[in-house]
């Protein structure tokens, strides 16, 4: 890796002044030619006019090739015989010494969408993950001279950082009950994106690039385990719902027994109380409607 270059202002000026000077030289050359053509100049006048036209041509040859244009959020690096001299970040018509070679770079924000990557998460489960990275060029000298192709560098480093990130976290809390949801790929999307932006920013800094924002665009189990994980999620959802139903039923039974005892409506021994509790739980926890049996006899028949 080459040493980082300190970006500095290049030798560049307003191109409008150069354009006006070039037009003045051109008008002067045209005026000289018209003067020669309209009269019968002497040999001395022809020689003087030739020298004047030569100097005007040299002036135009020096000024015109140095004129170039920069769009908003565009920069041009300037090199003199291979040596980096600076970066021009001006706008509009610009001019620099024609011996300088120029290369334009866009400073606009760009979006890179990674492909769907198949990675094993922290628990070893294969998952598919993809992300969107918004980045831009900050240091033009580093972007051009410290890496061969900074756009390819962004692609490679983005996929590398995304793979590393996916392998550092579990996919979901059901894969790691001791991990909070905010520290999983599925539950902590915002914090995961911030972590990805921080890690990727460190990787791209050596190329003079800045990461403005990252976001996960795709996250799912790999197809070979997707069905099994879906059944597992469904089973956990059923268990959670059943647990909620049982907790509510137990509370209702407890409340019913407490109110019966408080109002002294009926006195039940342990066996009848257990039967009543069993019947209430069946009614409250059952998935189908229960057909009641009316006891027309005594309590014990």
């Amino acid at each position: 890796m080459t040493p980082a270059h300190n970006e500095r202002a290049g030798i560049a000026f307003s191109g409008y002044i150069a354009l006006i000077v070039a037009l003045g030289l051109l008008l002067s050359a045209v005026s000289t030619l018209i003067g020669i053509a309209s009269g019968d100049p002497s040999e001395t006048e022809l020689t003087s006019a030739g020298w004047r036209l030569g100097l005007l041509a040299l002036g135009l040859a020096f000024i015109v090739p140095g004129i170039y244009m920069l769009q908003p959020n565009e920069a041009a690096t300037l090199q003199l015989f291979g040596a980096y001299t600076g970066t021009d970040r001006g706008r509009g018509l610009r001019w620099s010494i024609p011996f300088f070679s120029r290369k334009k770079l866009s400073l606009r924000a760009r979006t890179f969408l990674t492909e769907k990557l198949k990675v094993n998460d922290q628990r070893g489960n294969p998952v598919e993950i993809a992300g969107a990275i918004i980045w831009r060029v900050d240091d033009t000298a580093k972007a051009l001279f410290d890496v061969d192709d900074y756009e390819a560098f962004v692609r490679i480093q983005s996929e590398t950082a995304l793979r590393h990130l996916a392998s550092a976290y579990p996919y979901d809390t059901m894969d790691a009950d001791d991990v909070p949801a905010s520290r999983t790929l599925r539950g902590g999307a915002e914090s995961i994106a911030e972590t990805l932006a921080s890690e990727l920013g460190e990787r791209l800094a050596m190329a003079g690039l800045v990461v403005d924002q990252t976001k996960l665009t795709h996250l799912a189990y790999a197809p070979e385990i997707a069905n099994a994980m879906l059944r597992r999620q469904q089973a956990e959802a059923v268990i959670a719902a059943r647990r909620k139903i049982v907790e509510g039923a137990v509370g209702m039974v407890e409340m019913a027994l407490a109110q019966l005892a408080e109002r002294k409506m009926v006195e039940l021994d342990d066996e009848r109380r257990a039967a009543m509790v069993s019947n209430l739980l069946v009614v409250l926890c059952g998935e189908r409607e229960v057909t009641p049996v009316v006891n027309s006899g005594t309590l014990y028949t």
Side-chain angles (χ1 to χ4, degrees), residues 59-79:
L60 287 173
F62 181 78
I63 293 177
V64 173
I67 298 176
Y68 59 96
M69 184 174 292
L70 290 179
Q71 303 291 336
N73 283 327
E74 190 177 36
T77 58
L78 306 178
Q79 292 178 261

Side-chain angles (χ1 to χ4, degrees), residues 61-271:
F62 181 78
I63 293 177
V64 173
I67 298 176
Y68 59 96
M69 184 174 292
L70 290 179
Q71 303 291 336
N73 283 327
E74 190 177 36
T77 58
L78 306 178
Q79 292 178 261
L80 181 61
F81 305 121
Y84 171 71
T85 59
T87 297
D88 182 16
R89 291 176 178 261
R91 297 180 182 178
L93 207 60
R94 306 292 294 170
W95 182 84
S96 66
I97 298 175
F99 299 110
F100 288 161
S101 60
R102 300 180 296 270
K103 186 170 184 179
K104 296 181 180 180
L105 290 88
S106 174
L107 303 180
R108 300 181 181 94
R110 313 184 200 184
T111 300
F112 171 65
L113 298 175
T114 67
E115 298 181 355
K116 293 180 182 179
L117 305 177
K118 188 175 179 180
V119 192
N120 290 336
D121 69 355
Q122 189 183 48
R123 297 282 171 165
N125 297 320
V127 299
E128 290 182 345
I129 190 171
I133 293 91
I134 300 177
W135 62 279
R136 56 186 170 83
V137 175
D138 182 54
D139 191 321
T140 57
K142 286 185 177 182
L144 283 181
F145 306 126
D146 281 9
V147 292
D148 285 336
D149 186 343
Y150 63 90
E151 292 183 347
F153 188 76
V154 171
R155 292 194 298 270
I156 295 173
Q157 293 301 324
S158 297
E159 294 182 357
T160 302
L162 196 58
R163 287 181 181 276
H164 178 263
L165 182 75
S167 63
Y169 295 89
Y171 178 85
D172 205 349
T173 53
M174 70 177 185
D175 299 328
D177 296 333
D178 56 336
V179 176
S182 60
R183 300 300 295 173
T184 63
L185 295 174
R186 185 182 178 188
E190 293 185 1
S191 62
I192 296 299
E194 292 177 358
T195 303
L196 176 61
S198 177
E199 179 177 346
L200 188 57
E202 294 178 0
R203 292 172 178 263
L204 298 184
M206 64 172 292
L209 309 176
V210 173
V211 177
D212 290 332
Q213 185 180 0
T214 59
K215 186 177 182 180
L216 297 182
T217 58
H218 176 78
L219 181 63
Y221 282 112
E224 58 266 27
I225 67 167
N227 291 332
M229 289 301 177
L230 178 60
R231 290 195 296 269
R232 180 178 177 180
Q233 290 176 350
Q234 292 173 341
E236 290 194 348
V238 171
I239 293 172
R242 283 294 181 185
R243 184 182 295 113
K244 200 72 175 178
I245 292 173
V246 171
E247 290 177 357
V250 170
M252 294 176 68
V253 170
E254 184 180 4
M255 180 179 64
L257 293 176
Q259 290 186 5
L260 288 173
E262 180 181 353
R263 298 179 183 181
K264 299 180 179 180
M265 297 178 62
V266 62
E267 293 184 2
L268 301 174
D269 56 17
D270 292 340
E271 182 179 352

